[in-house]
Amino acid sequence: MTTMADWSSVVGNIYGNIEWAMPWAWLLLPLPLALRALPPWRAPAKAVRIPFLQQLLDATGERPRRGAQILERHPLQNLMILASWILLVAAAARPQWLGEPIVQQQSGRDLMVAVDLSGSMETRDFTTADNRSVDRLSALKHVLGQLAAARNGDRLGLIVFGSGAYLQSPFTEDHSTWLQLLEETEVRMAGPSTRLGDAIGLAIKHFSESDSEHRVLLLLTDGNDTGSMVPPVDAARVAAARGIRIYPIAVGDPATVGEEAIDLDTLDQIATLTGGERFVALDRAALTRILSTLNQLEPVLFETVSFRPRTDLHWLVFALLLVTLPLLRLIHRLTRRPVAGSNTP
């Protein structure tokens, strides 16, 4: 059996899902009372005075009577008029039905990965799980695939650099496409040199178009800078001013000498200036551990957006108003009656 408490709960839930787009329209509700308080309009009319009215009535056999018929409203008429006005004001206030909340997840962090494609990346000093020797780029591709799988809440971007820096993939939530573009990269594809500063500068440019407040650049290289337009340390200062954290990862043996030597001092300065951390990956296992550490330092973020869809109901109120008008006319016809004494001889 339905109790009053149950009905109150149902009514409360219904009213709680209704919102008024123009609530100030309810201020018009007492307008008829204000108009009723005004004095009635009296229009002057001309009349003819007949000194022989009684003789005229005797001759015609007529008797004097009221010249107008005054009707009295039935209570139902008053009720319908009140309901019509309330519906009209309610329609002007634009009622809206609020649907169930819809929650959408958005990417919380933009992670740009810059991969060195210089000639030294073809050095085969990494091994697979079955002890096969592979080049450094192939090992990077394998481990970055694991990174993409673990960063479902991030937008990933991809920069490749060598003698120049090039955008391979803008920030995207489509990690499968990102991985495909990474897989298509080849050693020396961007030239044989290592322009580290240009890669950082290109990342800064694309971060400036990002709305995310969490910006991370993962810089993977196995060499030292060879003539960038902007020195890497200067580029890192600009990145720090833009709120970009850089995590340089030295791939390969840092003890290498000559043109292929890894400039750990520069990588340290880049990490220190931007609030990141420098890593060294001597093999694939170390590279995997580094990316696992990175996942702890920069955990995946999810930003949620919640909204409730709105459906206008003013058309329904207008439909109810159109129903009341013919009912009002019908009640008028059925209940019309003059005030006692009116229009009587």
Side-chain angles (χ1 to χ4, degrees):
M1 181 178 180
T2 304
T3 63
M4 288 298 297
D6 295 332
W7 283 111
S8 299
S9 177
V10 171
V11 173
N13 290 335
I14 293 176
Y15 188 77
N17 288 331
I18 294 178
E19 187 176 271
W20 305 93
M22 303 173 66
W24 55 265
W26 285 107
L27 297 175
L28 300 174
L29 196 60
L31 183 60
L33 296 178
L35 295 177
R36 191 167 184 175
L38 297 176
W41 172 260
R42 297 183 182 277
K46 295 181 179 180
V48 178
R49 295 179 64 87
I50 303 176
F52 49 87
L53 177 60
Q54 188 60 48
Q55 291 86 343
L56 185 59
L57 293 175
D58 293 340
T60 58
E62 295 288 340
R63 297 184 62 183
R65 59 184 178 179
R66 297 187 181 185
Q69 191 179 61
I70 302 175
L71 298 180
E72 181 184 31
R73 284 202 188 103
H74 191 276
L76 284 177
Q77 286 182 282
N78 292 328
L79 181 61
M80 295 301 293
I81 291 174
L82 177 62
S84 300
W85 175 247
I86 292 176
L87 289 174
L88 187 62
V89 173
R94 285 192 58 192
Q96 295 177 332
W97 179 264
L98 299 179
E100 293 299 321
I102 297 177
V103 179
Q104 292 182 338
Q105 285 188 340
Q106 295 181 340
S107 301
R109 193 189 305 277
D110 283 348
L111 175 60
M112 179 67 78
V113 179
V115 179
D116 186 352
L117 296 183
S118 60
S120 57
M121 289 294 289
E122 65 183 0
T123 303
R124 303 177 70 87
D125 55 358
F126 279 69
T127 58
T128 63
D130 55 359
N131 292 323
R132 286 188 302 106
S133 176
V134 295
D135 59 76
R136 294 172 179 176
L137 181 59
S138 297
L140 277 182
K141 289 179 180 180
H142 177 78
V143 177
L144 288 177
Q146 299 175 356
L147 172 73
R151 311 295 299 191
N152 288 330
D154 294 346
R155 293 198 313 164
L156 299 181
L158 180 62
I159 289 175
V160 295
F161 64 96
S163 300
Y166 306 95
L167 181 69
Q168 183 77 350
S169 170
F171 289 116
T172 178
E173 297 178 27
D174 187 354
H175 292 185
S176 60
T177 300
W178 184 89
L179 285 171
Q180 179 63 35
L181 293 171
L182 173 66
E183 192 62 33
E184 293 175 358
T185 60
E186 297 179 4
V187 177
R188 292 188 175 86
M189 178 175 154
S193 303
T194 306
R195 295 201 172 183
L196 207 59
D198 291 350
I200 297 174
L202 183 59
I204 293 172
K205 175 184 176 182
H206 287 280
F207 274 121
S208 66
E209 302 171 357
S210 168
D211 296 329
S212 176
E213 298 179 357
H214 308 279
R215 306 173 178 184
V216 175
L217 170 60
L218 188 60
L219 186 62
L220 299 111
T221 182
D222 69 341
N224 54 72
D225 186 69
T226 54
S228 292
M229 296 181 63
V230 178
V233 175
D234 292 341
R237 290 191 178 96
V238 177
R242 304 288 178 86
I244 303 170
R245 283 190 298 279
I246 302 179
Y247 292 88
I249 299 178
V251 181
D253 188 359
T256 306
V257 297
E259 291 184 356
E260 297 182 355
I262 301 176
D263 189 355
L264 292 182
D265 290 338
T266 297
L267 298 184
D268 284 335
Q269 292 182 64
I270 292 173
T272 301
L273 287 170
T274 61
E277 187 174 337
R278 188 263 294 167
F279 301 97
V280 176
L282 296 176
D283 51 34
R284 198 182 71 166
L287 187 58
T288 302
R289 288 193 299 269
I290 289 170
L291 294 182
S292 177
T293 303
L294 180 66
N295 287 332
Q296 297 175 8
L297 295 173
E298 300 288 344
V300 177
L301 294 178
F302 290 98
E303 293 181 355
T304 59
V305 177
S306 177
F307 69 96
R308 301 183 68 178
R310 290 174 168 81
T311 304
D312 281 325
L313 299 179
H314 64 277
W315 60 270
L316 179 60
V317 180
F318 273 122
L320 294 174
L321 181 60
L322 293 176
V323 171
T324 62
L325 294 180
L327 287 177
L328 184 61
R329 185 174 181 85
L330 178 62
I331 294 173
H332 172 71
R333 288 181 178 179
L334 295 178
T335 62
R336 182 172 56 184
R337 58 180 179 179
V339 175
S342 68
N343 202 22
T344 55

